[in-house]
Every structure is written in C-alpha cells, then in structure tokens.
Amino acid sequence: MDALLAIVQKINLYLSDYILIILLIGAGLYFSIRTKFVQVRCFGEGWRRVFGNFSLKGGKHGGGMSSFQALATAIAAQVGTGNIVGACGAILIGGPGAIFWMWIIAFFGMATIYAEAVLAQETRVVQADGTVQGGPVYYIKTAFKGGFGKFLAGFFAVAIILALGFMGAMVQSNSIGEACHTAFGIPTWVVGLIIAMLAAVIFIGGVQRLASVTEKLVPIMAFLYIIGGLIVLIARIKYIPETFGMIFKYAFVPNAIIGGGIGYALKTAISQGVKRGLFSNEAGMGSTPHAHAMAQVEKPHDQGVVAMIGVFIDTFIVLTMTALVVISTLYAGDGILASGAADGVAKTNMAQLAFSVVFGEKLGSAFVAICLLFFAFSTIISWNLFGRINVNYLFGKKANLAYSIIAIVFIFLGSCLSNDLVWELTDMFNQLMVLPNVIAIVPLAGLVVAASRSSKDHTLK
C-alpha cells in the first residue's frame, strides 16, 4: 500500500500542480468571457429560480426530476467531506491562503458549471420507458464524432465509475467512520457497515427515491451546519478581521506560515486550493451535469443558472463556513496553529478541534461527526447515481445490480482502509475525469453562448 500511495501521489502532483490549474482556470475564464460573465449577470435569476422551485415534496417528474430536485442532488454530491475534511486539509497543507484560491476557482467554476448544465440539457436522451439520461458522455460524443469521441466518452465513463461510484464512496465512508470514532468511540467498521446498509436501501429505490431523499436532506443538513458555524463565529467575533486578513495575506505569502521558499509555498497554496476546490464544488469535473440533465425545465439556460447557485452554496457558504471556523479558532489569536503545524492535528480531526474550542470537546466532536454523516452520506447516494448512469452507458441496465453490490462493498471497505491512500486514489480519478470533460465543453461553447443569450429574453418577459 505504501508503494501504491507513492505512485498515486506522484501522478497527482503533476495533475494538480500543472494540468488542472491550466484547465480549470482556463475553462472558467473562457466561459466567463464568452457568456459575458453569466455568473454575475444571471446570479439573481439563479436564486429566483431556486426559490421558485423550492419544495420538500417535489413528487415524481416522469423519468426525470424537478429543477430543485436536480439542484438538491447536485448539491448533495458537491457538499460532502470536501467541505469539511477537504477544506481542513487544504488549510493544513497550503495555509489559510489556500481558501482564497478555492474562492477564485469557484468564481470561474460557476461559469464552467453553467456550461456543463446547459450542454447536459442540450444533449440529453429520453429513453423508451421515459427515463432521462444525460451527462458528459453524451456531449463528449456531440463535440467529437467517430472513434475519438467514443474513446473519450468511454474514458470518462470508466473514470467516473471508479472515482465516484467506488473510490469516492470509500472517501466518504472513511471520513464518516473516523469522525464517529473520534466523537463516539464507535469502531469505524461498524459505522461503515451501517452506512453500506442504508445506502443499499436507497440504491435499490432508484432515481425517484434518491431525489426524494436529497430534496429533504440537503436543506436540513446545510441549515444545521451553518447555524453551528455561526455560533462559533459569534463567540470568536473579535478574531474575524484577523481571520480574513490571514486568508488574503497567506494567499500570496504562504511561506510565512507553512515554511519553505516563497515559490514552493505559493505553488502549494494554489495547488491545494485548486485540488480541494475541485473536490468540493466539482465544477469542470463532469459529475453534477448528470443531475442537471434530468431537470424538467423550459430551456437549458434555466437549469444552467440554477447549477451556478449550487457551486456558490457549496464553496462561498458551506466551505467558507468551515474555513472561518477553523482559522478563527486554530490560527487566529492564541490558536494552537498560530505559529504553524502542531502535533496531533490532522485534516480528519481539525474541524472537530475547531468546533470544540467553543462547544467543548464532546459536543464539538459530536456536532462535526453528525454534520459529516449527513454531508458524506448524501454525497454517496448522489455519486452512486452518477456512476450508475455511466454503467448503463457502457454495459446497459443489466449491469446495475452488480454495480450496486460492488459500490456497497467499497463503502464498507472505505471505513477500514488507510485515509491517505483513499484520498489520493479519489483525487487521481477525479482529476482524470476533468481531462475529457473540459476538452469536450470548449468546442461546444457556441451552444452555451446561445443559451446564455436567452436570459435577456427571459428578463424582458
């Protein structure tokens, strides 16, 4: 396992430090300019569409979902361990300034995910039984005809099945197990077994049961976490100016807190922001378009602006809450990390230590464990859907049962394996997904631009 970890870390080093930075920021800039900054121009429209479709009992929508159910499913996938454990890891390795680079990635990522959602709507397929199938494999083959398109689509399908359906599920159950063990002393394998059984019930229920669960679970879990975070921030309010100051200062001079030369430290801060930002909001990764393709909307633009709000909620609200809590308690003032790394602090227990500063050790650990349970479990069931859509593309519906059984086994295994190896494998396959996805959406920019212009018509009405 040590040898495998070393190989995977080497691959991730090149992907996250060089290729991903160019692709994600490049794609975000490109679509921001081509759509005249749709993430700013149509930001208000996106919120109006979210609240206009808000419901905790969305009901059935043929073979698809309501716009809000699709958003809830997408946010369920986005808001997971990346918002707690991932954000903590980025801060611990790249310093508080890594959060600044997460914000940059998210801002431009809002334009990228708009493009993904629009293209997922434009290229989706309605099956004979009424079910809706859509996602990157469909717009990849639209962008590239013939053998090359089939190869890229197949590469993406395999990568997402491994990244989300299998490896990603391991990360989520691993984080749940670690948090519950820290908070309640429950063996991680017991937690993994319980999560696997609960997931099996939802997997068997199909898309409609998943949509019904996520539209109820997502608003509740986000509200619970934000309220807890606000309590901590109010208690540490005198450190808030220092907290924001550290984020901006260490975004450009991170060596002052993580050590090393300025060049190495800055590269570490940026790469951590990019890598963990991708894992958190998934813009450019090609995962959430599967949910947005299922939304029953009047025109693709309508779901595109809703998709942007998903990235905003994930990064600028939920992830930022984690960052502010961690930095204001562990780094600002007399925090235990004020002068750099400290023994006993890891990305898996960092959030629990932060909340414990205000809540006390037992309550702080329990609060984070419960929130992480909600976040990570909702991500497991959404990611399983995205993987299943690609299993159907490659092998047909006959493979669904085998896929679900393997996924359930991986959920259990994740609670028992090395944390570092699980995270590195997931990062590798997440990053490999980006390659064919971004390569495909750029040639289809004309469709995205045409859809973004429809917002003017909507505004006039």
Side-chain angles (χ1 to χ4, degrees):
M1 290 180 71
D2 289 341
L4 177 60
L5 176 62
I7 294 169
V8 174
Q9 284 176 329
K10 192 71 173 178
I11 295 171
N12 286 341
L13 179 68
Y14 287 101
L15 286 172
S16 62
D17 287 6
Y18 305 103
I19 298 172
L20 245 67
I21 291 175
I22 295 170
L23 282 180
L24 292 179
I25 295 181
L29 271 169
Y30 178 70
F31 282 106
S32 294
I33 294 168
R34 289 294 306 272
T35 62
K36 298 180 180 178
F37 285 86
V38 68
Q39 67 268 53
V40 177
R41 196 164 49 82
C42 298
F43 185 71
E45 180 188 348
W47 279 108
R48 289 193 297 273
R49 290 197 173 278
V50 169
F51 284 107
N53 290 294
F54 178 80
S55 172
L56 292 181
K57 49 180 181 179
K60 296 183 178 180
H61 295 266
M65 305 178 182
S66 70
S67 180
F68 179 75
Q69 285 177 331
L71 175 66
T73 302
I75 293 177
Q78 292 165 316
V79 178
T81 56
N83 295 77
I84 299 180
V85 181
C88 290
I91 296 170
L92 192 63
I93 299 170
I99 300 303
F100 173 83
W101 298 110
M102 281 187 170
W103 289 342
I104 296 297
I105 285 293
F107 175 76
F108 291 115
M110 289 171 72
T112 304
I113 210 162
Y114 172 87
E116 291 177 289
V118 164
L119 293 174
Q121 280 280 324
E122 292 277 11
T123 59
R124 70 182 196 161
V125 175
V126 180
Q127 305 288 347
D129 61 0
T131 58
V132 178
Q133 299 284 309
V137 292
Y138 296 93
Y139 57 68
I140 288 172
K141 290 200 299 182
T142 301
F144 304 105
K145 306 295 183 184
F148 183 62
K150 289 181 179 179
F151 167 76
L152 279 184
F155 179 88
F156 176 88
V158 171
I160 193 171
I161 292 167
L162 293 172
L164 305 189
F166 300 153
M167 304 298 175
M170 293 173 72
V171 162
Q172 306 299 329
S173 64
N174 185 284
S175 298
I176 295 172
E178 291 283 348
C180 288
H181 179 69
T182 300
F184 310 114
I186 305 171
T188 56
W189 71 267
V190 173
V191 177
L193 186 62
I194 294 171
I195 295 300
M197 290 189 295
L198 289 173
V201 174
I202 296 174
F203 293 171
I204 294 169
V207 172
Q208 295 300 334
R209 182 176 293 173
L210 183 145
S212 178
V213 170
T214 55
E215 72 179 348
K216 297 174 179 63
L217 191 60
V218 167
I220 294 170
M221 72 181 190
F223 178 77
L224 174 67
Y225 189 66
I226 289 167
I227 292 299
L230 286 174
I231 292 172
V232 173
L233 296 183
I234 290 170
R236 302 283 292 181
I237 194 165
K238 69 178 181 179
Y239 297 108
I240 298 304
E242 182 183 353
T243 296
F244 278 101
M246 293 176 82
I247 291 174
F248 288 101
K249 174 186 175 182
Y250 294 130
F252 301 98
V253 286
N255 61 313
I257 196 165
I258 64 175
I262 181 63
Y264 170 79
L266 187 59
K267 185 181 76 170
T268 301
I270 295 173
S271 67
Q272 283 296 315
V274 171
K275 182 165 63 175
R276 294 301 168 213
L278 171 68
F279 186 77
S280 175
N281 63 55
E282 302 182 29
M285 197 164 83
S287 52
T288 57
H290 297 91
H292 295 302
M294 296 185 179
Q296 305 292 4
V297 291
E298 183 181 338
K299 55 185 183 291
H301 167 79
D302 297 347
Q303 195 60 26
V305 294
V306 168
M308 295 190 316
I309 302 305
V311 170
F312 184 87
I313 291 171
D314 170 87
T315 301
F316 290 101
I317 297 179
V318 181
L319 184 144
T320 297
M321 183 61 72
T322 300
L324 295 180
V325 167
V326 167
I327 297 170
S328 68
T329 56
L330 303 184
Y331 285 86
D334 56 352
I336 60 174
L337 297 176
S339 58
D343 292 337
V345 180
K347 64 186 176 185
T348 51
N349 69 352
M350 202 171 177
Q352 289 175 312
L353 290 172
F355 276 94
S356 295
V357 171
V358 173
F359 288 178
E361 184 177 351
K362 289 185 177 179
L363 181 58
S365 294
F367 176 78
V368 173
I370 292 169
C371 289
L372 195 56
L373 172 63
F374 278 112
F375 285 8
F377 183 69
S378 68
T379 299
I380 287 172
I381 59 179
S382 293
W383 279 0
N384 181 266
L385 170 65
F386 303 160
R388 187 187 310 149
I389 291 170
N390 287 274
V391 166
N392 290 344
Y393 168 77
L394 291 175
F395 309 110
K397 292 185 178 180
K398 64 181 182 296
N400 279 347
L401 179 60
Y403 165 71
S404 295
I405 292 171
I406 296 171
I408 291 165
V409 171
F410 269 80
I411 291 170
F412 173 72
L413 288 176
S415 64
C416 308
L417 293 182
S418 159
N419 184 275
D420 288 337
L421 179 59
V422 170
W423 272 91
E424 291 292 342
L425 283 170
T426 303
D427 281 341
M428 184 179 73
F429 286 109
N430 282 347
Q431 291 167 156
L432 288 174
M433 285 167 55
V434 175
L435 303 179
N437 183 61
V438 172
I439 289 171
I441 61 176
V442 172
L444 298 174
L447 290 173
V448 178
V449 173
S452 71
R453 288 173 181 157
S454 70
S455 63
K456 297 177 181 178
D457 299 332
H458 176 77
T459 303
L460 290 174
K461 292 177 183 178

